[in-house]
Amino acid sequence: MPIKIVMVCLGNICRSPLAEGLLASKLPEDKFIVESAGTGSWHIGKHPDERSIATAKKNGLDISKQKGKHFTSNLFEEFDYIYVMDASNYANVTSLAKTEIHKEKVKLILDELFPGDNVDVPDPFYGLQNGFDMVFKMLDEATDLLSKRLIEKHS
Ligand code: 4NP
């Protein structure tokens, strides 16, 4: 059975699609499945924001075929790991958890880089292109560490 990881943000069009694409590119496909979802439901079935698609593309990653999904409580059973981008996502996702085991699956993605510091990946939606570049860099570094840890743990 492959290990399943879901990346979660608010809209599922800016940050979590980049996180999904980055992590998926660093893990062997036969052992891991990476998806993403949003705590908001506005963008179900939509492709990522064109600025995220362009940011990924200039870094050699194609995220254009991803489609938006809503984070619902059944995903606690489906996924082994749930990575959120910020404290607000954490509050929204954990509020849907019915058991302590489900709640414990939820982690801030930047805890990989700064354990215990509760650092957010800032929402770039209303900002400029440099916000997307910064988000990409943060997520690239976090997924470098995360992919190594997951491969080690599950090999
Ligand atoms: P994301 O950014 O959570 O990184 O996908 C957002 C995208 C859209 C909206 C909010 C945040 N929105 O309000 O539509």
Side-chain angles (χ1 to χ4, degrees), residues 9-17 42-43 89 123-126:
C9 63
L10 174 59
N12 193 209
I13 55 169
C14 296
R15 292 167 291 175
S16 59
W42 314 285
H43 306 291
N89 308 149
D123 186 345
F125 186 63
Y126 292 107

Side-chain angles (χ1 to χ4, degrees), residues 48-62:
D49 186 286
E50 60 188 27
R51 296 166 294 175
S52 278
I53 293 176
T55 305
K57 192 173 175 193
K58 76 181 177 191
N59 287 283
L61 210 57
D62 180 9

Side-chain angles (χ1 to χ4, degrees), residues 7 15 18-26 59 61 83 85 108-115 119-122 132-150:
M7 300 296 194
R15 292 167 291 175
L18 284 171
E20 175 187 334
L22 276 162
L23 186 64
S25 76
K26 297 172 188 184
N59 287 283
L61 210 57
Y83 286 97
M85 302 297 128
L108 272 176
I109 182 128
L110 289 188
D111 258 24
E112 291 300 310
L113 289 175
F114 313 109
V119 183
D120 289 345
V121 179
F132 285 80
D133 293 331
M134 189 175 75
V135 164
F136 186 91
K137 189 166 180 291
M138 288 173 149
L139 291 173
D140 194 20
E141 289 176 13
T143 53
D144 268 352
L145 285 180
L146 178 58
S147 59
K148 289 192 183 110
R149 201 165 62 71
L150 287 170

Side-chain angles (χ1 to χ4, degrees), residues 66-137:
Q66 292 181 22
K67 290 217 179 124
K69 179 161 74 184
H70 190 203
F71 188 91
T72 46
S73 60
N74 58 311
L75 300 194
F76 284 109
E77 287 294 334
E78 188 182 337
F79 288 88
D80 302 293
Y81 298 93
I82 300 167
Y83 286 97
V84 296
M85 302 297 128
D86 65 27
S88 158
N89 308 149
Y90 184 85
N92 288 329
V93 170
T94 54
S95 75
L96 298 173
K98 292 189 185 80
T99 68
E100 218 28 58
I101 290 170
H102 286 174
K103 193 175 169 193
E104 279 167 12
K105 290 186 180 186
V106 189
K107 302 265 186 298
L108 272 176
I109 182 128
L110 289 188
D111 258 24
E112 291 300 310
L113 289 175
F114 313 109
D117 285 354
N118 295 329
V119 183
D120 289 345
V121 179
D123 186 345
F125 186 63
Y126 292 107
L128 303 172
Q129 178 59 41
N130 64 357
F132 285 80
D133 293 331
M134 189 175 75
V135 164
F136 186 91
K137 189 166 180 291

